[in-house]
């Protein structure tokens, strides 16, 4: 039995321009009072090959948490394009929403992010140097389950999700179950 269950995560303002802040409405229930805070993080994966390009967009502490249902909006600034390699600005990447308790991550929700030009001509003939301008690079977020339906490659994400599910079982056993 889990002490915290995520009941819903809704992506607000989807699709949005690249420079628009991310907003997630997160609903969860707590079945056991928690003395310490829950730590929520939002991470933008800047490169599939090199995690040094990952950007922590937001880190929020919520707590202490009593028994009950909760809902809040997590808002984060967009990623800094100057910290993303030019070849990774346009295309598909990942956004990770995580929650930890006592330093142990127990929830990871992955979203595929598709950064693209909203102008058809720019899509067909991209500029030699990729740039981000307000209103010219919309992003669309899709949950991992939506992406599986479209048959896009998800091997890297699957392995990350599987590893964290294994960690969750060990964490739950040592922290929440009698």
């Amino acid at each position: 039995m889990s002490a915290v269950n995520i009941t819903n995560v809704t992506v607000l303002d989807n699709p949005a321009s690249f420079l628009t802040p991310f907003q997630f409405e997160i609903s969860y229930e707590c079945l056991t009072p928690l003395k310490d805070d829950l730590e929520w993080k939002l991470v933008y994966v800047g490169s599939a090959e090199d995690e040094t390009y990952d950007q922590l967009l937001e880190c929020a502490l919520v707590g202490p948490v009593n028994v009950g249902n909760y809902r809040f909006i997590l808002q984060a600034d967009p990623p800094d394009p100057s910290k993303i390699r030019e070849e990774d600005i346009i295309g598909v990447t990942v956004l990770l929403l995580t929650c930890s308790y006592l330093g142990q991550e127990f929830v990871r929700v992955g979203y595929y992010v598709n950064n693209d030009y909203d102008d058809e001509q720019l899509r067909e003939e991209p500029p030699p140097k990729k740039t981000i301008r307000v209103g010219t690079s919309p992003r669309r977020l899709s949950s991992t389950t939506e992406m599986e339906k479209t048959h896009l490659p998800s091997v890297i994400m699957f392995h990350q999700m599987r590893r964290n599910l294994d960690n969750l079982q060990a964490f739950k056993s040592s922290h929440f179950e009698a």
Side-chain angles (χ1 to χ4, degrees), residues 43-105:
V43 176
Y44 182 88
V45 176
S47 171
E49 294 86 28
D50 188 348
E51 67 183 45
T52 62
Y53 291 98
D54 291 359
Q55 295 181 45
L56 176 62
L57 302 180
E58 184 60 71
C59 181
L61 297 175
V62 177
V65 183
N66 293 313
V67 173
N69 294 312
Y70 296 88
R71 181 175 55 189
F72 71 100
I73 294 178
L74 179 68
Q75 182 171 331
D77 288 334
D80 180 349
S82 70
K83 296 179 180 176
I84 303 171
R85 295 183 309 184
E86 185 179 327
E87 62 268 20
D88 290 326
I89 288 178
I90 302 299
V92 177
T93 189
V94 176
L95 190 67
L96 300 172
L97 174 67
T98 67
C99 187
S100 301
Y101 182 69
L102 297 175
Q104 295 287 316
E105 181 180 296

Side-chain angles (χ1 to χ4, degrees), residues 6 9 39-43 45 51 54 94-100 104-111 143-144 156-165 167-168:
I6 309 306
V9 178
E39 181 179 44
W40 297 87
K41 290 182 182 178
L42 191 62
V43 176
V45 176
E51 67 183 45
D54 291 359
V94 176
L95 190 67
L96 300 172
L97 174 67
T98 67
C99 187
S100 301
Q104 295 287 316
E105 181 180 296
F106 68 93
V107 169
R108 178 176 284 207
V109 182
Y111 292 90
S143 69
T144 53
I156 293 171
M157 192 57 165
F158 173 79
H159 289 298
Q160 290 175 333
M161 299 292 274
R162 180 73 245 157
R163 184 183 70 233
N164 286 302
L165 290 175
N167 291 343
L168 172 61

Side-chain angles (χ1 to χ4, degrees), residues 107-176:
V107 169
R108 178 176 284 207
V109 182
Y111 292 90
Y112 286 93
V113 179
N114 185 24
N115 296 317
D116 202 355
Y117 294 108
D118 62 354
D119 182 284
E120 188 65 37
Q121 184 175 357
L122 284 173
R123 279 191 208 128
E124 292 175 12
E125 299 174 32
K129 180 168 174 54
K130 294 180 177 62
T131 58
I132 302 299
R133 295 184 306 259
V134 175
T136 61
S137 296
R139 66 173 181 242
R140 174 173 289 283
L141 277 64
S142 301
S143 69
T144 53
T145 54
E146 290 175 32
M147 294 305 284
E148 288 167 3
K149 290 177 191 172
T150 61
H151 305 292
L152 291 177
S154 59
V155 174
I156 293 171
M157 192 57 165
F158 173 79
H159 289 298
Q160 290 175 333
M161 299 292 274
R162 180 73 245 157
R163 184 183 70 233
N164 286 302
L165 290 175
D166 294 339
N167 291 343
L168 172 61
Q169 292 302 323
F171 178 73
K172 283 175 29 181
S173 297
S174 63
H175 287 82
F176 297 121

Side-chain angles (χ1 to χ4, degrees), residues 12-53:
L12 305 176
D13 299 329
N14 186 26
S17 103
F18 187 88
L19 298 175
T20 302
F22 289 100
Q23 293 189 83
F24 292 85
E25 183 178 77
I26 301 168
S27 301
Y28 64 97
E29 63 181 353
C30 185
L31 305 175
T32 305
L34 304 176
K35 294 180 214 169
D36 293 310
D37 296 339
L38 292 173
E39 181 179 44
W40 297 87
K41 290 182 182 178
L42 191 62
V43 176
Y44 182 88
V45 176
S47 171
E49 294 86 28
D50 188 348
E51 67 183 45
T52 62
Y53 291 98

